[in-house]
Amino acid sequence: MSFEKIVRDIKTLKIQGAEAIAKASVLALKDVIKKSRAATKYRLIDELKKTRKILITTRPTEPCMRNTLKYILTNLDVKDIISLKALLDERIKKALEHICKTRQTIAAIGSKKIKNGMTIFTHCHSSTVMSILKQAKKQGKRFQVHVTETRPLFQGRITATELAKARIPVTIFVDSAARIALKKADLFLFGADAITSEGKVINKIGTELFAEIAYKYDIPIFSCTDSWKYDPKTVYGIEEKIEKRAAREVWRNPPKNITISNLAFEKVKPELITGIISELGIYRPSMFIEIIKENYPWMF
Ligand code: RUB
């Protein structure tokens, strides 16, 4: 797929979910490197810096994409353009391997939380949560899923469709019926777009509201995520931005004088989160941050 098409598809949410966005950004970078006419390493590095800027602005709340690009594009100190291309090739391969291996590890760890007879509540569409549910199904476990529609763009329907295809019983609820859906649930699993230095998890709007309800009913709450979604710049007190999307997604032709709020994400307080399930294991949010620092020093 070309760089231009990937940028368009991320902006229009044809490519959605943090992990898919990170992977697509690597493929976009690969396309730019392949088509580049740069004759020197400096020219190519310049071109890639511009590419990175464009990619990052497609979805501002996506540190997984930022970290992945940082992993590939930091410290490119080599003798010439041939060595640079070889280094980039190797980093791209490793970044894609990380995404793939992480997915399998999280599925293995997370599926242990699912027991026979359980009802799992989820919100929006997280490919990470999906991998856990599908792994549990593969292990022969019998359970059902409650999912919210996720207005305004109905990502809950993607979740429901995928689960039905995998023959996992699924019920879809309108967002405002989440309390009813949660009351009968044993576990709340959701994805993550970003994790801050205070252990807050940013995910689709509605996630904190539903976490507050789950907490009230003593339902364990887990965020399921590749740890590269940690945002290192939040260490310096820089707030992770919350993406505001177009008003027309909520109401195409509204009457005059109506303000439309279309925040795409919200932060879930660490106190509400039982644990973060990542490729590094299952940890409370405060511990998770420590473990990231130990495992990925290059992020900082
Ligand atoms: C998707 C969303 C997902 C996270 C995690 O929002 O909030 O829960 O991105 O997804 P949008 P994954 O549809 O606006 O991108 O686990 O696939 O990384």
Side-chain angles (χ1 to χ4, degrees), residues 92-162:
I92 285 175
K93 219 170 116 199
K94 280 195 179 152
L96 292 173
E97 257 170 40
H98 165 86
I99 293 174
C100 178
K101 272 196 199 150
T102 292
R103 175 53 44 92
Q104 290 161 6
T105 312
I106 297 176
I109 298 172
S111 59
K112 290 189 188 143
K113 289 279 166 206
I114 299 177
K115 310 270 184 268
N116 272 332
M118 270 189 167
T119 298
I120 323 290
F121 176 87
T122 192
H123 177 50
C124 195
H125 175 260
S126 154
S127 59
T128 317
V129 170
M130 294 305 297
S131 70
I132 291 175
L133 297 172
K134 286 179 188 169
Q135 183 63 25
K137 170 76 179 174
K138 249 193 212 160
Q139 292 162 352
K141 291 176 187 165
R142 285 172 288 102
F143 58 95
Q144 60 163 335
V145 177
H146 285 177
V147 61
T148 43
E149 279 183 311
T150 320
R151 284 267 303 146
L153 294 177
F154 300 104
Q155 289 94 329
R157 291 181 185 174
I158 308 176
T159 300
T161 308
E162 247 183 88

Side-chain angles (χ1 to χ4, degrees), residues 18 21 56-66 192-195 202-203 229 231 233 240-244 264-267:
I21 292 167
I56 283 174
T57 48
T58 54
R59 296 292 302 266
T61 320
E62 296 298 348
C64 192
M65 163 163 59
R66 294 201 292 268
D193 286 90
I195 301 150
I202 298 173
N203 194 55
K229 292 181 190 169
D231 184 355
K233 73 179 184 336
E240 180 65 53
K241 272 192 204 123
I242 298 291
E243 182 183 353
K244 274 189 198 148
F265 300 105
E266 71 180 344
K267 293 177 189 163

